[in-house]
Amino acid sequence: MNTLVMKFGGTSVGNSGAIRQAAEIVATQKKTWENLVVVVSAMSGVTDQLISSARLAAQGDREGMQQALQAVTARHQQTVNELIPSAQEREILLANIQQRLDELTTYCHSIHVLGEVTPRGMDVISSMGERMNAQIVAALLRSMAVPAQAVEASQCIVTDRTFQNAVPDMAASREKTQKVLLPLFHQGFVPVVTGFMGATPEGVITTLGRGGSDYSAAILADCLDAAEVWIWTDVDGVLSADPRLVANARPIPEISFAEVGELAYFGAKVLHPKTIRPVVARNMPLWVKNTFNPAFSGTRISQAAVHSGGMITAVTTIKHLSILTVEGRGMLGVPGIAARTFGAVARSGASVLMISQSSSEQSICMVIPSDHNQQVIDMIEEEMALELARGDIDRVWARDQVVIVTIIGSGMRETPGVSARVFGALGKAHINVIAIAQGSSEYSISLVVDQKDMAEAVRSIHAEIVEVE
Ligand code: ASP
Ligand code: MG
């Protein structure tokens, strides 16, 4: 069985022009692949609007809520009117979407009354964008003589009850997905599945986390033993740097799962970080392609990517961070300080992005998201109260407004001199490096710099290393 799963992201289905473009791509691929599954995101910005309407409702801002709902309604109605030629089909589709919108309005009203929105309620509401869009895309495909049917992923993807960040049960999902989608394949249909959502075994709607439609595509591909997954977006693939920072950022023709995993972890908005999990085990190639430039091949992501370029594949950044330092001479040689420090951090709920300890053992520093700052400091101070009182630890403090710059490339493995070139480039640009870490995978080097130096740091590393290779 020759199956391809294609996912279209928010901007690829963000207005009628884009949806038409996406549908053309589906029609073309339908000719080559025996079975085709389409996974759609909500129209760009709709998930945000849905979430904000629920929040406004909870805050008692009825007018704001109604405005947000009205904007969502108008956008979908306009898109349907622009896309669907047959009056009859249009009526059916508009009625269908109206039903979703009515449901949505009812939910928002009850949130308004209760003055609170639960994570479970938020999932029902935030998945509405995908549910409406799958209907639109399927109807358009039918109008182009491509047999298609909208499918709600709650029929296919079974998850636990971690609302807003649900974890799929792969065995159960496999069974359901095959049961729902295989009969559609046999009838020659293209299933148009809602991204982002799933459901508990009892059928309660869940979502896979923001940006989760990529993950949906990978889960379905795994469940269907697909040959490949194609992620359609609005750029020419995975880029070597953020094009807003680096004008010469270029699409990477091939990249490995390990590298793309680091990239996603280190802030590049290429793929939902969990996307590669289902495909890695099967060594299923994943492509990132541009809906608005479909003739371009894009980026191929696979287990053993063959590098055409040099040692470094990409430079990426994470913003809004703080570097937190626990320092004191009394820490020298005392076992358990690091364990207790990180235990305290874990209790505060903050995730640690980077750690380093100087070998003199006089400080431990870690990088955390800035919004967790004070909580983390409080927790560590509480844990270390005795050491602070005794003066073994001098202070726990945070430096705000820092960023992590990560240089990624499996080509730097066991290749000496890469870090020298990185620091050389930064030195030439007069950029101060606050902290450094290299993962033992040797796929990446991360450094912390001041937020104000971020753009220049990325540009100088990109220019000195990525562009010359
Ligand atoms: N619509 C969802 C979001 O905006 C999921 C996705 O687009 O991948 O987070
Ligand atoms: Mg996305």
Side-chain angles (χ1 to χ4, degrees), residues 65-278:
M65 166 196 104
Q66 263 154 354
Q67 266 168 16
L69 291 178
Q70 189 46 44
V72 171
T73 306
R75 182 133 167 236
H76 287 87
Q77 285 171 344
Q78 184 190 347
T79 308
V80 171
N81 287 328
E82 286 169 1
L83 280 179
I84 308 298
S86 140
Q88 199 189 348
E89 285 286 333
R90 213 163 48 225
E91 286 316 309
I92 298 172
L93 184 56
L94 284 172
N96 197 314
I97 287 177
Q98 194 54 49
Q99 208 177 329
R100 297 275 166 277
L101 291 165
D102 291 344
E103 241 178 278
L104 188 61
T105 312
T106 311
Y107 291 132
C108 285
H109 281 303
S110 34
I111 290 170
H112 183 252
V113 172
L114 293 170
E116 168 187 50
V117 52
T118 59
R120 173 174 169 168
M122 200 52 120
D123 276 359
V124 178
I125 290 172
S126 62
S127 61
M128 252 348 151
E130 272 73 10
R131 296 172 70 191
M132 293 190 280
N133 219 9
Q135 298 285 349
I136 297 178
V137 173
L140 176 63
L141 285 169
R142 287 193 296 267
S143 80
M144 294 162 63
V146 178
Q149 183 168 324
V151 175
E152 305 220 332
S154 46
Q155 305 296 313
C156 302
I157 298 178
V158 183
T159 72
D160 67 1
R161 296 180 64 87
T162 319
F163 296 105
Q164 304 193 314
N165 195 19
V167 179
D169 173 340
M170 291 308 293
S173 300
R174 187 179 176 86
E175 204 186 308
K176 280 192 100 171
T177 300
Q178 294 202 355
K179 203 159 142 204
V180 174
L181 300 189
L182 296 188
L184 291 176
F185 289 159
H186 291 144
Q187 297 165 56
F189 277 96
V190 175
V192 181
V193 187
T194 57
F196 188 41
M197 77 188 285
T200 66
E202 300 77 34
V204 181
I205 288 177
T206 56
T207 63
L208 304 173
R210 292 306 306 272
S213 297
D214 300 334
Y215 191 25
S216 306
I219 294 168
L220 293 175
D222 186 345
C223 293
L224 293 165
D225 301 320
E228 294 188 4
V229 183
W230 294 6
I231 305 285
W232 290 93
T233 179
D234 56 0
V235 287
D236 279 338
V238 180
L239 302 181
S240 58
D242 182 342
R244 286 164 303 184
L245 293 179
V246 181
N248 292 337
R250 61 183 185 201
I252 303 166
E254 286 212 32
I255 187 169
S256 68
F257 287 131
E259 290 169 300
V260 95
E262 301 265 326
L263 259 176
Y265 178 77
F266 285 108
K269 298 227 165 9
V270 280
L271 283 179
H272 186 280
K274 291 183 189 162
T275 310
I276 53 173
R277 278 188 205 172

Side-chain angles (χ1 to χ4, degrees), residues 342-354:
F342 291 111
V345 179
R347 285 197 295 283
S348 77
S351 72
V352 178
L353 292 153
M354 200 176 124

